[in-house]
Amino acid sequence: MKTILLNNGVEMPVLGYGVYLVSPEECERCVLEAIGTGYRLIDTAQAYYNEEGVGAAVSKCGVPRSELFLTTKVWISNAGEEKAARSIDESLRKLGTDYIDLLLVHQPFGDYYGTYRAMEKAYRNGKVRAIGLSNFYDARFVDLAENMDVKPAVLQLETHVFSQQYRMRGLIKDYDTRLMAWGPLAQGTDGIFTDERLKTVGARYDKTNAQVALKFLTSEGIVAIPKTTHKERMASNFAIDDFELSAEDMETIRRMDTGKLKTDFNDPVLAKYLLDYDKQFNPINRQK
Ligand code: NAP
């Protein structure tokens, strides 16, 4: 498995497995299968309500903890220094581990400066090996990166062949921050699995559209974390180490960038929806 080096010297796998929308019931089985397939990076979040499933798989998988790389994210309802600190301990408990490899601020809403301060403290105390951000764009990213002591090691953004994030990639270079792609398969939209341009490229290497799309990202030094609940797809998404895309094919895929994102983090409607998300989706709130 290829790795990249973060700005604090921590080594991170360039390909991982994401568990957004993997139900708490299914999560243990999926993560066990993913680790069995060879994945070592697992990306979860407090707001996925499946950290316990990840933890159960980690404890049963037989792979030493030191060989795994666990990412989780602090949700908006835990924003602010004290609440975030408590939530980090809660995530550690649910994941059944005494350290998280990478901890991200999930969304740029609420008191995220307080959240980041709590994350810096957890980093200094050895509860977390690296910290970063998710869904922070432009001035929001720069302001936080400029004002905080620990520069974000990673920025996780929607990134795929149709939205290649060139502007943000330029901007985060100043902080030596690495890009991590969420939705690296465009969440299965825009005809990614049948796209003729990807098919033409893939035919040269006997690879599927998904494999070509993931190979493109990792070849650009972008960490990709595809999600699937199907074991065969986990295996095929993982099988991208045995070929290299030619410079010409990389260029063909670069031209697929539309510069458009599916999710706009400057949209006030999205801000209100996300600020309310925990009330609607947290199983604890739903039982009330
Ligand atoms: P994604 O990985 O781009 O796409 C997942 C979709 O593609 C699922 O519908 C999956 O279906 C399908 N799929 C996967 N591999 C396939 C294959 N080889 N052939 C055909 N279909 C395939 O989208 P995502 O789950 O949204 O993003 C990946 C991870 O990024 C998440 O799991 C999460 O960890 C993270 N994420 C973070 C944020 C954030 O705000 N930071 C937001 C979204 C996601 P099946 O499961 O049915 O196979």
Side-chain angles (χ1 to χ4, degrees), residues 61-82:
C61 68
V63 173
R65 172 68 186 87
S66 58
E67 288 177 24
L68 298 170
F69 191 103
L70 301 183
T71 300
T72 193
K73 316 180 191 83
V74 179
W75 187 245
I76 304 165
S77 54
N78 293 323
E81 194 163 346
E82 275 176 35

Side-chain angles (χ1 to χ4, degrees), residues 16-177:
Y17 176 68
V19 295
Y20 176 49
L21 296 182
V22 177
S23 68
E25 299 74 35
E26 263 202 310
C27 192
E28 179 182 332
R29 189 261 309 161
C30 286
V31 174
L32 272 173
E33 286 178 358
I35 294 172
T37 300
Y39 292 88
R40 293 295 176 260
L41 156 60
I42 309 295
D43 181 82
T44 182
Q46 293 170 352
Y48 301 169
Y49 310 112
N50 58 18
E51 285 174 310
E52 276 145 326
V54 174
V58 165
S59 77
K60 289 180 191 168
C61 68
V63 173
R65 172 68 186 87
S66 58
E67 288 177 24
L68 298 170
F69 191 103
L70 301 183
T71 300
T72 193
K73 316 180 191 83
V74 179
W75 187 245
I76 304 165
S77 54
N78 293 323
E81 194 163 346
E82 275 176 35
K83 267 201 203 167
R86 275 199 301 276
S87 83
I88 294 167
D89 288 339
E90 187 67 7
S91 285
L92 286 166
R93 187 186 63 74
K94 288 181 175 168
L95 291 165
T97 182
D98 49 13
Y99 68 92
I100 291 158
D101 293 277
L102 174 66
L103 181 65
L104 306 175
V105 181
H106 201 151
Q107 306 284 1
F109 302 116
D111 176 13
Y112 50 78
Y113 283 89
T115 301
Y116 201 83
R117 272 192 293 278
M119 287 164 50
E120 287 184 322
K121 223 177 247 175
Y123 175 64
R124 293 198 180 99
N125 293 340
K127 291 180 182 178
V128 176
R129 293 176 69 223
I131 61 176
L133 304 170
S134 175
N135 300 316
F136 281 63
Y137 281 87
D138 303 308
R140 271 181 182 145
F141 174 83
V142 171
D143 189 51
L144 192 139
E146 287 288 336
N147 279 296
M148 304 309 270
D149 292 333
V150 182
K151 300 306 165 205
V154 168
L155 175 64
Q156 189 178 115
L157 297 178
E158 176 191 343
T159 310
H160 40 78
V161 290
F162 306 120
S163 303
Q164 299 178 19
Q165 294 286 9
Y166 288 105
R167 190 182 74 252
M168 289 304 299
R169 279 156 75 179
L171 214 146
I172 66 178
K173 261 195 198 143
D174 286 351
Y175 309 93
D176 213 6
T177 303

Side-chain angles (χ1 to χ4, degrees), residues 1-4 11-16 38-41 218 238 240-241:
M1 168 54 50
K2 290 187 178 146
T3 59
I4 56 159
E11 206 176 353
M12 177 175 186
V14 78
L15 183 67
Y39 292 88
R40 293 295 176 260
L41 156 60
T218 60
F238 193 72
I240 60 167
D241 263 353

Side-chain angles (χ1 to χ4, degrees), residues 6 12 32 34 57 66 70 98 122 124 137 164 176 188 203 209 223-224 232 242 249 257 268 276 279 282-283:
L6 301 182
M12 177 175 186
L32 272 173
S66 58
L70 301 183
D98 49 13
R124 293 198 180 99
Y137 281 87
Q164 299 178 19
D176 213 6
N209 282 18
V223 176
E232 334 69 72
D242 57 353
D249 287 333
D257 180 41
D276 221 28
K279 275 194 213 123
N282 186 336

Side-chain angles (χ1 to χ4, degrees), residues 20 43 134-135 156 183 185 187 227-230 233 237:
Y20 176 49
D43 181 82
S134 175
N135 300 316
Q156 189 178 115
L185 296 173
Q187 303 189 301
K227 170 259 169 187
T228 174
T229 54
H230 298 91
R233 290 179 180 173
N237 292 346

